Amino acid sequence: MPRVIVSLLGLALASAACASSRPPTNTVADALASMRGAEELGAAQVPPAALQLQLAQEELERARRLMDDGKNDRAHAMALRAVNDAELAIALTREAQARQAVEQAKQGVDARTPEVTP
Amino acid sequence: MSPSKPIPFFVAAAIMVVGCAHATPSELVAARSAYEQAATGPAQEYTPAELHVAKKSLARAEALFEDKGDTSAVRDQAYIALRKAELAATLGRVAVLKRQAAAATQEGRQREEQEAARTRAELKATRGVLATQQAANTATEEELAVERQRREEAEARAAKVAADLANLAAVKQDIRGTVITLSGSVVFASGKHTLLPSARSRLGQVAEALLKDEADATYVVEGHTDSSGTAAVNNELSRKRAEAVRDYLVERGVPADRITAEGHGADQPVAENSTAEGRANNRRVEIVVKPRTAR
């Protein structure tokens, strides 16, 4: 009997968790903020970052549809995916910009390197 | 077909169980690989915090998978772990690039400074050479100017001396040097060898003119007579007259060691002794100025 009670209790707790999960509005907001940040940095001009940003946008769309269907847990997971994709988009944009800065600095060095006079 | 039904069902169930137990979701495979890559890259040195987050995320995915097998929750967690690993790796690369950019900028600045220093040094050297050349040119010009002035002064002095002498007596150039001829009748009374008072002032001027000549010349005073009278008398007279002139010039300041007297008698006439005028010209005292270089 106690076994059955324990399992019942577990089931109840699990369903309670499921039922009580709220719409992941905070995570969606985080995703939106990160996506906007990536856009402002110029992720659209950096192909790998643009891809990541697009993934985030699609995931956010799916998260919203899941929220509409009341599937908040799945929506939360999908919004989290969007957050991480957007953050990676930001990092990839920064990487491209840093690489460009290195190139420019090296060109500057080359330009200032005195020609070897024979 | 009904007897064969249980077998496919069993097989399918077995396959399902095996699949559940062993098939790893592709997200988890990718996450493991991405973490491995990140952990061996620059992230371990430059972005250890992000790498640690990725590690924990992957561990959670592994634990979920261990616990529940291939579920959407595992896939979600594995997907996030994959992105965390990629994020850590990317940020590690960014850190490396930023260091490279800083180093390149620093190097560029150093090159710029070196170049500037080199240019400054070259400019300084060029200026130094120019200054040296200019100084040399100026020195040469100054020397030339001094030399020119010295020569002009010497020429002016020589001209002055010649002009002064010309006023006092006949001056001519011959092989002996500059010859100043004093007429005997002007300087001496007939047959005498004492200077006339009027001759003293003229000889004084001659002495002044000679002294002005700084050429450090030597002088020979030569006495000459006409052919009247005996040679002995004429020689004696001409010598005494030359000595009288010499003594007077020495008295007026001409250095004694640079002036000598000679009597030539009637041996060196400059005119005919047959006429009174010719004899008058032959009676004379000549002061021969020998330039120093001719000594």
Side-chain angles (χ1 to χ4, degrees), chain A residues 3-117:
Chain A
R3 225 182 215 179
V4 173
I5 291 170
V6 167
S7 358
L8 275 175
L9 190 68
L11 189 69
L13 277 171
S15 48
C18 238
S20 74
S21 72
R22 292 173 184 166
T25 47
N26 285 348
T27 311
V28 168
D30 286 350
L32 275 173
S34 293
M35 285 160 66
R36 197 162 299 137
E39 277 166 14
E40 280 170 8
L41 264 178
Q45 277 76 49
V46 180
L51 174 67
Q52 225 61 41
L53 189 58
Q54 177 150 15
L55 284 175
Q57 277 159 352
E58 287 167 4
E59 281 151 3
L60 196 64
E61 274 308 302
R62 284 179 66 189
R64 277 178 173 147
R65 277 201 302 272
L66 286 164
M67 278 164 73
D68 291 345
D69 293 349
K71 296 174 179 170
N72 288 336
D73 281 345
R74 292 288 302 129
H76 180 248
M78 207 47 73
L80 260 185
R81 285 188 180 216
V83 168
N84 282 275
D85 276 319
E87 280 174 359
L88 184 56
I90 289 173
L92 289 168
T93 308
R94 291 226 166 96
E95 184 187 11
Q97 288 167 349
R99 184 159 285 134
Q100 208 176 349
V102 169
E103 286 307 309
Q104 281 179 350
K106 280 183 178 169
Q107 276 174 9
V109 170
D110 290 343
R112 289 190 203 96
T113 303
E115 315 87 61
V116 178
T117 42

Side-chain angles (χ1 to χ4, degrees), chain A residues 52 55 59 73-74 77-78 80-82 84-85 87-89 91-92 94-96 98-99 101-102 105-106 108-110 112-115 117, chain B residues 27 72-73 75-77 79-80 82-84 86-88 90-91 93-94 96-98 100-105 107-109 111-112 115 118:
Chain A
Q52 225 61 41
L55 284 175
E59 281 151 3
D73 281 345
R74 292 288 302 129
M78 207 47 73
L80 260 185
R81 285 188 180 216
N84 282 275
D85 276 319
E87 280 174 359
L88 184 56
L92 289 168
R94 291 226 166 96
E95 184 187 11
R99 184 159 285 134
V102 169
K106 280 183 178 169
V109 170
D110 290 343
R112 289 190 203 96
T113 303
E115 315 87 61
T117 42
Chain B
E27 287 88 343
S72 67
R75 286 172 180 269
D76 287 336
Q77 184 56 45
Y79 185 91
I80 287 161
L82 167 65
R83 292 297 181 246
K84 297 274 191 216
E86 285 173 343
L87 183 70
T90 306
L91 292 176
R93 290 197 299 272
V94 169
V96 169
L97 287 169
K98 281 190 172 167
Q100 285 176 353
T105 306
E107 196 186 346
R109 216 170 278 147
R111 288 272 170 80
E112 205 166 24
E115 184 71 357
R118 208 166 63 95

